[in-house]
């Protein structure tokens, strides 16, 4: 899942106090604009990850919804066929809308995870591997809570100014979901049969022909249901691998952070490996929700539109007509190829950005 693909972790335990910086200001200066620096680090990580796998995302959409031009192709044959039919840039259809969407969403999710992880450890006394699983899931739920009237304050007094910032991030999914809808519509188009000429035209057409504002939120329910387990398992797996690795082989797998020598971070190639494993496991668990979401997002573009109005009807239709392997899990092999580099780049970029922006 797109929105949940962007994720990374700090060390398993709360980071040690930052040493006195050279020159005036010291640690206080480093804390200035912390939330802005954290926001930028998460946003950059999300954009880098999505751009890396944009061609695989395009092919995945075509396969998931059985596009008539590519429905008989496999993963690798489709990757070859798209450039032949639509040119090299055809692999990047919809990526512009994705970048606009993923920067704020990824940034908010990263910020929320770090905040919740610290909160759970310091205020609830929960540590070890469990606090990472809880924080990862809560980071996603924080973004969607306001839409369903759910509040995740857990004792608002302990948040201070951070609480107000989290409330601002509560609508991340709601605000960015229409961009995901438009991105999928653009990615499903094939050269010579364009319904939409670009992002703005797609917004205008969907609004005018599919029920106004609410037309942009088809597929939101499977998105919500799939995001929490995806993010939770992803954060949990990466954090556990990182914690175990640094505990048992610190010199082999780790190195001192460039901005704080007292903090041990994973080496880049180990980060990539751990992030890839985390992404693969999380995708397997949540993939049927992703297939359902894509089908619902495409709406009137598909001939079976009226049979896929709700999440239940969509899952029933896909299972009844295509089964599990060729229906609910169609394109999963591509998703492994896609999610491993995506998560690896996301985790690794975020770890690097934490050092660039002095977040350790």
């Amino acid at each position: 899942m797109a929105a949940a693909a962007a994720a990374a972790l700090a060390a398993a335990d709360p980071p040690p106090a930052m040493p006195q910086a050279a020159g005036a200001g010291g640690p206080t200066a480093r804390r200035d604009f912390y939330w802005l620096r954290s926001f930028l680090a998460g946003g950059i990580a999300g954009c880098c990850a999505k751009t890396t796998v944009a061609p695989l995302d395009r092919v995945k959409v075509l396969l998931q919804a059985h596009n008539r031009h590519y429905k008989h192709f496999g993963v690798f044959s489709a990757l070859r066929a798209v450039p032949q039919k639509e040119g090299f840039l055809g692999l990047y259809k919809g990526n512009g809308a994705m970048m606009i969407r993923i920067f704020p969403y990824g940034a908010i999710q990263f910020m929320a995870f770090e905040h919740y992880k610290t909160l759970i450890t310091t205020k609830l006394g929960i540590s070890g591997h469990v606090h990472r699983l809880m924080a990862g899931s809560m980071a996603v739920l924080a973004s969607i809570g306001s839409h369903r009237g759910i509040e995740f304050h857990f004792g608002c007094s302990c948040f201070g100014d951070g609480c107000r910032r989290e409330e601002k991030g509560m609508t991340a999914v709601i605000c960015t979901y229409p961009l995901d809808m438009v991105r999928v519509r653009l990615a499903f188009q094939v050269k010579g049969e364009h319904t939409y000429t670009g992002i703005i035209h797609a917004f205008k057409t969907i609004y005018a022909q599919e029920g106004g504002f609410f037309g942009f939120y088809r597929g939101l329910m499977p998105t919500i249901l799939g995001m929490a387990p995806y993010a939770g398992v992803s954060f949990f797996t990466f954090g556990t691998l990182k914690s175990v690795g640094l505990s048992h082989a610190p010199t082999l797998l780790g190195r001192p952070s460039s901005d704080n020598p007292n903090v041990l971070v994973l080496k880049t190639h180990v980060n990539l490996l751990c992030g890839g494993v985390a992404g693969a496991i999380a995708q397997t668990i949540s993939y049927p929700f992703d297939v359902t979401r894509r089908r619902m997002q495409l709406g009137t573009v598909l001939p079976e539109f009226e049979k896929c109005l709700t999440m239940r009807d969509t899952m029933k239709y896909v299972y009844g007509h295509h089964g599990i392997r060729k229906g609910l899990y169609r394109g999963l092999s591509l998703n492994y190829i896609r999610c491993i580099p995506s998560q690896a780049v996301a985790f690794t970029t975020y770890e690097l950005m934490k050092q660039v922006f002095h977040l350790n």
Side-chain angles (χ1 to χ4, degrees):
M1 297 223 161
L9 299 175
D13 298 318
M18 185 172 292
Q20 182 74 19
T28 301
R30 289 289 178 85
R31 287 196 294 269
D32 290 345
F33 304 107
Y34 176 87
W35 288 98
L36 175 60
R37 290 183 281 119
S38 180
F39 185 89
L40 289 173
I44 292 171
C47 287
C48 289
K50 282 298 181 182
T51 301
T52 300
V53 298
L56 300 177
D57 273 333
R58 170 85 203 285
V59 171
K60 187 184 77 164
V61 170
L62 295 172
L63 294 181
Q64 282 183 326
H66 294 80
N67 183 287
R68 67 187 184 88
H69 293 279
Y70 299 101
K71 64 181 180 180
H72 298 301
F73 286 86
V75 172
F76 295 106
S77 56
L79 282 170
R80 292 192 299 268
V82 170
Q84 291 173 0
K85 184 176 179 62
E86 306 178 56
F88 177 76
L89 292 180
L91 292 171
Y92 288 86
K93 276 189 177 179
N95 194 52
M98 174 58 76
M99 291 299 98
I100 299 172
R101 170 184 177 267
I102 204 64
F103 188 94
Y105 178 79
I108 290 170
Q109 186 180 14
F110 277 112
M111 289 169 58
F113 171 76
E114 297 287 0
H115 192 70
Y116 280 132
K117 188 179 68 171
T118 301
L119 174 67
I120 292 170
T121 301
T122 58
K123 299 299 181 180
L124 302 182
I126 300 174
S127 58
H129 304 311
V130 175
H131 80 302
R132 284 189 293 271
L133 179 62
M134 294 175 63
S137 297
M138 288 164 61
V140 176
L141 293 173
S143 299
I144 62 178
S146 62
H147 179 66
R148 294 293 171 186
I150 304 173
E151 297 181 350
F152 295 89
H153 289 190
F154 295 101
C156 200
S157 60
C158 67
F159 279 71
D161 289 340
C163 180
R164 291 188 288 276
R165 291 187 181 95
E166 287 301 327
E167 287 172 345
K168 293 177 182 178
M170 295 276 278
T171 57
V173 172
I174 305 305
C175 291
T176 61
Y177 191 83
L179 285 165
D180 190 42
M181 164 81 79
V182 168
R183 196 269 299 189
V184 171
R185 295 289 181 97
L186 294 175
F188 193 71
Q189 294 186 137
V190 175
K191 185 176 181 180
E193 299 180 4
H194 285 188
T195 303
Y196 314 108
T197 58
I199 296 175
I200 301 301
H201 182 248
F203 269 107
K204 290 181 178 178
T205 304
I206 294 172
Y207 183 85
Q209 299 180 4
E210 300 187 33
F213 180 76
F214 293 102
F216 293 108
Y217 288 92
R218 288 180 48 81
L220 182 62
M221 182 56 68
T223 301
I224 292 174
L225 294 179
M227 284 170 65
Y230 175 85
V233 171
S234 181
F235 276 114
F236 169 76
T237 304
F238 180 82
T240 301
L241 292 173
K242 178 179 179 180
S243 176
V244 171
L246 293 179
S247 297
H248 290 82
T251 56
L252 178 64
L253 304 179
R255 61 174 178 80
S257 172
S258 63
D259 67 321
N260 187 351
N262 291 337
V263 174
L264 198 63
V265 298
L266 291 174
K267 294 178 180 177
T268 302
H269 67 282
V270 181
N271 248 319
L272 290 168
L273 177 61
C274 293
V277 172
I281 295 174
Q283 284 285 350
T284 303
I285 293 173
S286 62
Y287 194 75
F289 290 107
D290 192 39
V291 172
T292 303
R293 170 174 61 131
R294 294 303 184 210
R295 286 245 169 194
M296 294 181 69
Q297 284 179 328
L298 288 168
T300 55
V301 174
L302 298 178
E304 64 270 17
F305 162 66
E306 294 184 353
K307 299 178 181 178
C308 300
L309 296 176
T310 67
M311 185 182 75
R312 181 178 178 276
D313 289 343
T314 304
M315 283 189 162
K316 184 177 179 181
Y317 176 86
V318 173
Y319 175 76
H321 285 74
H322 305 289
I324 295 178
R325 187 173 67 86
K326 294 184 178 180
L328 294 176
Y329 277 91
R330 178 171 169 78
L332 180 61
S333 58
L334 171 60
N335 225 40
Y336 285 142
I337 300 171
R338 166 192 164 275
C339 77
I340 290 175
S342 175
Q343 287 294 84
V345 170
F347 281 118
T348 303
T349 304
Y350 185 65
E351 292 287 329
L352 292 174
M353 289 299 103
K354 284 171 66 178
Q355 298 173 59
V356 170
F357 292 115
H358 302 286
L359 297 175
N360 284 321

